[in-house]
Amino acid sequence: MNYTAFLIKYAEIAIKGKNRFLFEDALVHSIVRRLKDVEGKFHVYKTQGRIHLETEGEYDYDELIDALTKIFGITAICPVIELADEGFPVLCEEAVKYCGEVYGNKKMTFKVNARRARKNYPLESMEINAKVGEALLHAYDQYSVDVHAPEENIYIEIREKIYLYSITIPGACGMPSGTGGKATLLLSGGIDSPVAGYMIAKRGVTIDAVYFHAPPYTSDRAKQKVVDLAKIVSKFAGSMTLHVVNFTEIQKYIYEKCPHDELTIIMRRYMMRIANAIAEECGSLGLVTGESIGQVASQTMQSLLCTNAVCTLPVYRPLIGFDKQEIITISEKMGAYETSILPFEDCCTIWVAKHPVTKPNINIIAKHEHNLDEEIDRMVETALSSREKIEIA
Ligand code: ATP
Ligand code: MG
């Protein structure tokens, strides 16, 4: 069957009144943006309670469905037959033709579900169900009706046009990009943070990203890897600005002035401070990291307390309760894994101590940070003002 139209369904919970328009417009925008990467010509528009997609000319069905199933906010995608209203007998014929093409005369139970959104249609829903059902039973001797637990549901929606469908492909669910405010993602070249970005994007949150690099200790290729990961996250989260912060001077200075077993934690506190400042400047409502309790020394509850304490914005950690394998599964699903495992250095791993503190005491850490004096404030200012901004479209 060559489909030229699709019904896009979305959850209707919590989208009453004005929110509904915002939600639908955001979803249409996400679909249009995403389909730019799919070969073919597509028209996306909304009518009451539905988003429609129509194709023009050649396109690849699998590629289109693959793209649609990755868009947050869509609960289901239904390939439909779009019919003009040419009278009820024609509708019956079309239903027979449709089932013949999709199912043939296989042994199956079915139920017809008609919905009359246009009330001036001459038949009522129940009559449509009964008469189309009869036509199908007449045409295919292997079919039988089961109104309680049918194997196949045949849907008929009477609107301006008439829609006939029975295939429902599950969508990614979640909320459309742009309906949930903005957050600032600390994006490294690892596996976790792109997944954290994906998870927060699933709730409709748009993202700005911050990457700390330490040239010449971290290479241009390491930076390019982060740009590539930002592009992958942006498929789900929408366009974003990637702020690339030069962290070399700060890292070296901390290394010089602080106990080495506290390097990681102090460094991470400075990362959070800088990210917090960028987030406030960009109008973000929170920070997002890929941390998960106990994964490494800097992600114990004690360490998280120390890094959290320097932030004024809430820090969201969508992966906090996930095991590594669960994170990898999502990373693969979102198409980031192959990029994430490319072996480039990260600034965090360059000056790590052999035995970093795993249970830092926040008072002691704060005391040791005093050694850094005003000098570090100047360095933070420089890092902030000299940061590079890369637009990820
Ligand atoms: P990831 O796989 O996301 O790099 P990780 O397991 O390597 O995480 P850490 O290195 O402790 O863990 O980093 C914890 C979090 O801090 C990351 O998930 C990320 O949000 C942030 N982060 C770490 N390094 C950087 C960096 N160079 N630039 C921006 N954010 C970073
Ligand atoms: Mg990392």
Side-chain angles (χ1 to χ4, degrees):
M1 180 91 81
N2 284 328
Y3 292 100
T4 57
F6 297 82
L7 271 185
I8 310 281
K9 296 188 178 178
Y10 49 85
E12 301 188 21
I13 303 161
I15 53 164
K16 297 202 180 74
K18 197 173 137 234
N19 279 342
R20 169 178 215 116
F21 293 102
L22 294 176
F23 188 101
E24 288 171 340
D25 289 345
L27 188 50
V28 168
H29 183 264
S30 285
I31 297 169
V32 170
R33 181 174 182 273
R34 185 84 186 206
L35 294 189
K36 281 191 184 132
D37 296 336
V38 177
E39 218 167 300
K41 217 170 167 193
F42 307 104
H43 305 284
V44 185
Y45 61 94
K46 56 177 192 172
T47 57
Q48 294 151 323
R50 289 279 186 265
I51 290 175
H52 301 263
L53 189 160
E54 287 172 2
T55 66
E56 191 185 318
E58 296 274 304
Y59 74 97
D60 185 304
Y61 177 87
D62 292 335
E63 194 190 353
L64 175 64
I65 296 298
D66 184 61
L68 291 173
T69 50
K70 289 183 173 140
I71 299 171
F72 291 134
I74 295 178
T75 54
I77 303 134
C78 305
V80 295
I81 303 297
E82 229 178 47
L83 303 166
D85 184 1
E86 295 177 277
F88 187 66
V90 177
L91 175 56
C92 286
E93 275 168 36
E94 290 289 347
V96 168
K97 196 170 116 199
Y98 170 84
C99 287
E101 283 191 34
V102 176
Y103 305 108
N105 186 17
K106 76 165 187 181
K107 194 170 167 54
M108 68 175 205
T109 58
F110 75 95
K111 176 186 176 183
V112 180
N113 302 273
R115 217 176 114 192
R116 210 172 47 138
R118 177 158 62 81
K119 297 294 176 206
N120 66 359
Y121 195 74
L123 280 79
E124 287 191 11
S125 303
M126 294 300 279
E127 284 178 277
I128 301 172
N129 290 344
K131 292 200 166 147
V132 173
E134 245 170 59
L136 290 174
L137 288 172
H138 183 72
Y140 305 108
D141 61 1
Q142 295 292 307
Y143 288 17
S144 55
V145 172
D146 181 345
V147 290
H148 301 297
E151 284 161 348
E152 303 297 341
N153 274 292
I154 316 296
Y155 294 98
I156 296 171
E157 282 190 23
I158 315 267
R159 295 170 179 267
E160 275 313 303
K161 290 179 189 166
I162 298 173
Y163 301 91
L164 179 64
Y165 63 99
S166 64
I167 296 168
T168 298
I169 302 158
C173 297
M175 306 288 280
S177 177
T179 54
K182 185 161 84 175
T184 295
L185 170 69
L186 282 90
L187 181 64
S188 72
I191 295 168
D192 306 322
S193 45
V195 175
Y198 171 90
M199 298 292 291
I200 202 95
K202 186 171 183 200
R203 302 313 305 163
V205 176
T206 52
I207 286 172
D208 269 346
V210 181
Y211 167 59
F212 295 92
H213 78 147
Y217 305 98
T218 60
S219 62
D220 275 351
R221 290 203 302 175
K223 177 174 142 190
Q224 185 55 44
K225 177 182 168 183
V226 175
V227 172
D228 293 342
L229 287 171
K231 284 183 186 157
I232 294 170
V233 175
S234 88
K235 282 191 183 178
F236 304 92
S239 54
M240 65 170 80
T241 305
L242 171 65
H243 302 260
V244 180
V245 177
N246 187 326
F247 207 48
T248 314
E249 198 188 16
I250 295 174
Q251 266 190 310
K252 275 182 154 173
Y253 189 62
I254 297 172
Y255 187 79
E256 216 174 275
K257 297 278 182 180
C258 298
H260 287 185
D261 61 345
E262 290 172 5
L263 270 182
T264 304
I265 201 78
I266 295 178
M267 223 173 65
R268 291 202 48 77
R269 274 161 66 94
Y270 276 93
M271 277 190 180
M272 297 305 270
R273 285 184 174 105
I274 292 171
N276 195 96
I278 293 174
E280 285 191 327
E281 196 186 306
C282 301
S284 277
L285 303 173
L287 300 175
V288 182
T289 74
E291 290 159 315
S292 139
I293 293 176
Q295 200 186 79
V296 287
S298 59
Q299 296 176 27
T300 60
M301 291 280 279
Q302 292 84 352
S303 301
L304 292 173
L305 184 138
C306 286
T307 49
N308 208 81
V310 298
C311 301
T312 56
L313 290 171
V315 183
Y316 296 101
R317 301 179 177 87
L319 310 184
I320 200 71
F322 282 24
D323 290 333
K324 196 74 189 186
Q325 191 50 51
E326 293 171 307
I327 299 170
I328 289 174
T329 302
I330 304 174
S331 171
E332 286 171 336
K333 187 169 123 190
M334 68 180 283
Y337 189 65
E338 294 301 319
T339 307
S340 282
I341 57 172
L342 292 173
F344 299 127
E345 61 296 320
D346 182 76
C347 71
C348 284
T349 53
I350 287 173
W351 287 289
V352 283
K354 271 214 181 72
H355 301 289
V357 280
T358 53
K359 293 180 183 166
N361 176 308
I362 189 164
N363 297 322
I364 295 174
I365 296 289
K367 195 172 136 216
H368 289 159
E369 276 179 0
H370 279 307
N371 298 344
L372 299 168
D373 250 346
E374 285 105 41
E375 191 60 11
I376 194 97
D377 298 339
R378 186 194 58 74
M379 289 178 180
V380 167
E381 277 313 310
T382 308
L384 276 170
S385 60
S386 68
R387 72 184 188 266
E388 182 189 358
K389 294 178 193 174
I390 302 174
E391 295 306 328
I392 310 285

Coordinates of all heavy atoms in Angstrom, one line a residue, residues 108-153:
M108 N -9.3 -13.5 10.6 CA -9.1 -12.5 11.7 C -10.4 -12.0 12.2 O -11.5 -12.1 11.6 CB -8.3 -11.3 11.2 CG -9.0 -10.5 10.1 SD -8.0 -9.1 9.7 CE -9.2 -7.9 9.2
T109 N -10.3 -11.5 13.5 CA -11.5 -10.9 14.0 C -11.3 -9.4 13.9 O -10.2 -8.9 14.0 CB -11.7 -11.2 15.5 OG1 -10.6 -10.9 16.2 CG2 -12.0 -12.7 15.7
F110 N -12.4 -8.6 13.7 CA -12.3 -7.2 13.6 C -13.5 -6.5 14.2 O -14.5 -7.1 14.6 CB -12.1 -6.8 12.1 CG -13.5 -6.9 11.4 CD1 -14.3 -5.7 11.2 CD2 -13.9 -8.1 10.8 CE1 -15.5 -5.8 10.5 CE2 -15.1 -8.2 10.2 CZ -15.9 -7.0 10.0
K111 N -13.3 -5.2 14.3 CA -14.3 -4.3 14.8 C -14.2 -3.0 14.0 O -13.1 -2.5 13.8 CB -14.2 -4.0 16.3 CG -15.2 -3.1 16.9 CD -14.8 -2.8 18.3 CE -15.7 -1.8 18.9 NZ -15.4 -1.4 20.3
V112 N -15.3 -2.4 13.6 CA -15.3 -1.1 12.9 C -15.6 0.0 14.0 O -16.5 -0.2 14.8 CB -16.3 -1.0 11.8 CG1 -16.3 0.3 11.1 CG2 -16.1 -2.1 10.8
N113 N -14.8 1.0 14.0 CA -14.9 2.1 15.0 C -15.1 3.4 14.2 O -14.1 4.0 13.7 CB -13.7 2.2 15.9 CG -13.4 1.0 16.6 OD1 -13.9 0.8 17.7 ND2 -12.5 0.1 16.1
A114 N -16.4 3.8 14.0 CA -16.6 5.0 13.3 C -16.7 6.2 14.3 O -17.2 6.0 15.4 CB -17.8 4.9 12.4
R115 N -16.2 7.4 13.9 CA -16.3 8.6 14.7 C -16.8 9.7 13.8 O -16.2 9.9 12.8 CB -15.0 8.9 15.3 CG -15.2 9.4 16.7 CD -13.8 9.7 17.4 NE -13.7 11.1 17.6 CZ -12.5 11.7 17.9 NH1 -11.4 11.0 18.0 NH2 -12.5 13.0 18.1
R116 N -17.9 10.3 14.2 CA -18.5 11.3 13.3 C -18.2 12.7 13.9 O -18.9 13.2 14.7 CB -20.0 11.1 13.2 CG -20.6 11.5 11.9 CD -22.0 11.0 11.9 NE -22.7 11.3 13.2 CZ -24.0 11.8 13.2 NH1 -24.7 12.0 12.1 NH2 -24.5 12.1 14.4
A117 N -17.0 13.3 13.5 CA -16.7 14.6 14.0 C -17.6 15.6 13.3 O -17.8 16.7 13.8 CB -15.2 14.9 13.8
R118 N -18.0 15.3 12.1 CA -18.9 16.2 11.3 C -20.3 15.6 11.5 O -20.7 14.6 10.9 CB -18.5 16.2 9.9 CG -19.4 17.0 9.0 CD -18.6 17.4 7.7 NE -18.2 16.3 6.9 CZ -18.9 15.6 6.0 NH1 -20.2 15.9 5.9 NH2 -18.4 14.6 5.3
K119 N -21.2 16.3 12.2 CA -22.5 15.8 12.6 C -23.5 15.8 11.5 O -24.5 15.2 11.6 CB -23.0 16.6 13.8 CG -22.2 16.5 15.1 CD -22.1 15.0 15.6 CE -21.2 14.9 16.8 NZ -20.7 13.5 17.0
N120 N -23.2 16.5 10.4 CA -24.2 16.5 9.3 C -24.1 15.3 8.4 O -24.8 15.2 7.4 CB -24.2 17.8 8.5 CG -22.9 18.0 7.7 OD1 -22.0 17.1 7.8 ND2 -22.8 19.0 7.0
Y121 N -23.2 14.4 8.7 CA -23.1 13.1 7.9 C -24.4 12.3 8.1 O -24.9 12.2 9.2 CB -21.9 12.3 8.4 CG -21.5 11.2 7.4 CD1 -20.9 11.6 6.2 CD2 -21.8 9.9 7.6 CE1 -20.5 10.6 5.2 CE2 -21.5 8.9 6.7 CZ -20.8 9.3 5.5 OH -20.5 8.3 4.6
P122 N -24.9 11.8 7.0 CA -26.3 11.2 7.1 C -26.4 10.0 8.0 O -27.5 9.7 8.5 CB -26.6 10.9 5.6 CG -25.4 11.0 4.9 CD -24.5 11.9 5.6
L123 N -25.3 9.3 8.2 CA -25.5 8.1 9.1 C -24.8 8.3 10.4 O -23.8 9.1 10.5 CB -24.8 6.9 8.4 CG -25.6 6.1 7.3 CD1 -25.5 6.9 6.0 CD2 -25.0 4.7 7.2
E124 N -25.4 7.7 11.4 CA -24.7 7.8 12.8 C -23.6 6.8 12.9 O -23.6 5.8 12.2 CB -25.8 7.6 13.8 CG -26.7 8.8 13.9 CD -27.6 8.7 15.2 OE1 -27.4 7.8 16.0 OE2 -28.5 9.5 15.2
S125 N -22.8 7.0 13.9 CA -21.6 6.1 14.0 C -22.0 4.7 14.1 O -21.4 3.8 13.5 CB -20.8 6.5 15.3 OG -20.5 7.9 15.3
M126 N -23.0 4.4 14.9 CA -23.4 2.9 15.1 C -23.8 2.3 13.8 O -23.5 1.2 13.5 CB -24.5 2.8 16.1 CG -24.2 3.2 17.5 SD -22.8 2.2 18.2 CE -23.8 0.8 18.7
E127 N -24.5 3.1 13.0 CA -25.0 2.6 11.7 C -23.8 2.3 10.7 O -23.7 1.3 10.0 CB -25.9 3.6 11.0 CG -27.3 3.7 11.5 CD -28.0 4.8 10.8 OE1 -27.9 6.0 11.2 OE2 -28.8 4.5 9.8
I128 N -22.8 3.3 10.8 CA -21.7 3.1 10.0 C -20.9 1.8 10.4 O -20.6 1.0 9.5 CB -20.7 4.3 10.1 CG1 -21.5 5.6 9.7 CG2 -19.5 4.2 9.2 CD1 -20.7 6.9 9.9
N129 N -20.7 1.7 11.7 CA -20.1 0.4 12.2 C -20.7 -0.8 11.6 O -20.1 -1.7 11.1 CB -20.1 0.4 13.7 CG -19.2 1.4 14.3 OD1 -18.4 2.0 13.7 ND2 -19.5 1.7 15.6
A130 N -22.0 -0.9 11.8 CA -22.8 -2.1 11.4 C -22.7 -2.3 9.9 O -22.4 -3.4 9.4 CB -24.2 -1.9 11.8
K131 N -22.9 -1.2 9.1 CA -23.0 -1.4 7.7 C -21.6 -1.7 7.0 O -21.5 -2.5 6.1 CB -23.6 -0.2 7.0 CG -25.1 -0.2 7.4 CD -25.9 0.6 6.5 CE -27.4 0.3 6.8 NZ -28.3 1.5 6.6
V132 N -20.6 -1.0 7.5 CA -19.2 -1.3 7.0 C -18.8 -2.7 7.4 O -18.2 -3.5 6.6 CB -18.2 -0.2 7.4 CG1 -16.8 -0.6 7.0 CG2 -18.5 1.1 6.8
G133 N -19.2 -3.1 8.6 CA -18.9 -4.4 9.1 C -19.5 -5.5 8.2 O -18.8 -6.4 7.8
E134 N -20.7 -5.2 7.9 CA -21.5 -6.2 7.0 C -20.8 -6.3 5.7 O -20.6 -7.4 5.2 CB -22.9 -5.6 6.7 CG -24.0 -6.4 7.3 CD -25.3 -5.6 7.1 OE1 -25.7 -5.2 6.0 OE2 -25.9 -5.3 8.2
A135 N -20.4 -5.2 5.1 CA -19.7 -5.2 3.8 C -18.4 -6.0 3.9 O -18.1 -6.8 2.9 CB -19.4 -3.8 3.3
L136 N -17.7 -5.9 5.0 CA -16.4 -6.6 5.1 C -16.7 -8.1 5.3 O -16.0 -8.9 4.7 CB -15.6 -6.1 6.3 CG -15.1 -4.7 6.2 CD1 -14.4 -4.2 7.5 CD2 -14.0 -4.6 5.1
L137 N -17.7 -8.4 6.0 CA -18.0 -9.9 6.2 C -18.4 -10.5 4.9 O -18.1 -11.6 4.6 CB -19.2 -10.0 7.3 CG -18.8 -9.7 8.7 CD1 -20.0 -9.7 9.6 CD2 -17.8 -10.7 9.2
H138 N -19.1 -9.7 4.1 CA -19.6 -10.2 2.8 C -18.5 -10.4 1.9 O -18.4 -11.4 1.1 CB -20.6 -9.1 2.3 CG -21.2 -9.5 1.0 ND1 -22.2 -10.5 0.9 CD2 -21.0 -9.1 -0.3 CE1 -22.5 -10.7 -0.4 NE2 -21.8 -9.9 -1.1
A139 N -17.5 -9.5 1.9 CA -16.4 -9.6 1.0 C -15.3 -10.6 1.4 O -14.7 -11.2 0.5 CB -15.7 -8.2 0.9
Y140 N -15.1 -10.9 2.7 CA -14.1 -11.8 3.1 C -14.6 -12.9 4.0 O -14.9 -12.6 5.2 CB -12.9 -11.0 3.8 CG -12.4 -9.9 2.9 CD1 -12.7 -8.5 3.2 CD2 -11.7 -10.2 1.8 CE1 -12.3 -7.5 2.4 CE2 -11.2 -9.1 0.9 CZ -11.5 -7.8 1.3 OH -11.1 -6.8 0.5
D141 N -14.7 -14.1 3.6 CA -15.3 -15.1 4.4 C -14.5 -15.6 5.6 O -15.0 -16.2 6.5 CB -15.7 -16.3 3.5 CG -14.5 -17.0 2.9 OD1 -13.4 -16.5 3.1 OD2 -14.7 -18.0 2.1
Q142 N -13.2 -15.2 5.6 CA -12.4 -15.6 6.8 C -12.5 -14.6 8.0 O -12.0 -14.8 9.1 CB -11.0 -15.7 6.4 CG -10.6 -16.8 5.4 CD -10.8 -18.1 6.0 OE1 -10.3 -18.4 7.1 NE2 -11.7 -19.0 5.4
Y143 N -13.2 -13.4 7.7 CA -13.3 -12.4 8.8 C -14.5 -12.7 9.7 O -15.5 -13.3 9.3 CB -13.6 -11.0 8.2 CG -12.5 -10.4 7.4 CD1 -11.4 -11.1 7.0 CD2 -12.5 -9.0 7.1 CE1 -10.4 -10.4 6.3 CE2 -11.5 -8.3 6.4 CZ -10.4 -9.1 6.0 OH -9.5 -8.4 5.3
S144 N -14.3 -12.4 11.0 CA -15.5 -12.4 11.8 C -15.4 -11.2 12.8 O -14.3 -10.6 13.0 CB -15.6 -13.7 12.6 OG -14.4 -13.9 13.3
V145 N -16.5 -10.8 13.3 CA -16.6 -9.6 14.2 C -16.4 -10.0 15.6 O -16.9 -11.1 16.1 CB -18.0 -9.0 14.0 CG1 -18.1 -7.8 15.1 CG2 -18.2 -8.4 12.6
D146 N -15.6 -9.2 16.3 CA -15.4 -9.4 17.8 C -15.4 -8.0 18.4 O -14.4 -7.3 18.2 CB -14.2 -10.2 18.1 CG -14.0 -10.4 19.6 OD1 -14.7 -9.7 20.4 OD2 -13.2 -11.2 20.0
V147 N -16.5 -7.6 19.0 CA -16.5 -6.2 19.4 C -15.8 -5.9 20.7 O -15.5 -4.8 21.1 CB -18.0 -5.6 19.6 CG1 -18.6 -5.5 18.2 CG2 -18.8 -6.5 20.5
H148 N -15.4 -7.0 21.4 CA -14.8 -6.9 22.8 C -13.3 -6.9 22.6 O -12.6 -6.0 23.2 CB -15.3 -7.9 23.7 CG -16.8 -7.9 23.9 ND1 -17.4 -6.8 24.5 CD2 -17.8 -8.7 23.6 CE1 -18.7 -6.9 24.5 NE2 -18.9 -8.1 24.0
A149 N -12.7 -7.9 21.9 CA -11.3 -8.0 21.8 C -10.9 -8.3 20.4 O -10.4 -9.4 20.1 CB -10.7 -9.0 22.8
P150 N -11.1 -7.4 19.4 CA -10.8 -7.7 18.0 C -9.3 -7.7 17.8 O -8.6 -7.0 18.5 CB -11.5 -6.5 17.3 CG -11.5 -5.4 18.3 CD -11.6 -6.0 19.6
E151 N -8.9 -8.5 16.8 CA -7.5 -8.5 16.5 C -7.2 -7.3 15.7 O -6.1 -6.7 15.9 CB -7.2 -9.8 15.6 CG -7.1 -11.0 16.4 CD -7.3 -12.3 15.6 OE1 -7.7 -12.2 14.4 OE2 -7.0 -13.4 16.1
E152 N -8.1 -6.8 14.9 CA -7.9 -5.6 14.1 C -9.0 -4.6 14.4 O -10.2 -5.0 14.3 CB -7.7 -5.9 12.6 CG -6.6 -6.9 12.3 CD -5.2 -6.4 12.7 OE1 -5.0 -5.2 12.8 OE2 -4.4 -7.3 12.8
N153 N -8.6 -3.3 14.6 CA -9.6 -2.3 14.7 C -9.6 -1.5 13.4 O -8.5 -1.0 13.0 CB -9.3 -1.3 15.8 CG -9.9 -1.8 17.1 OD1 -11.1 -1.8 17.3 ND2 -9.0 -2.3 18.1

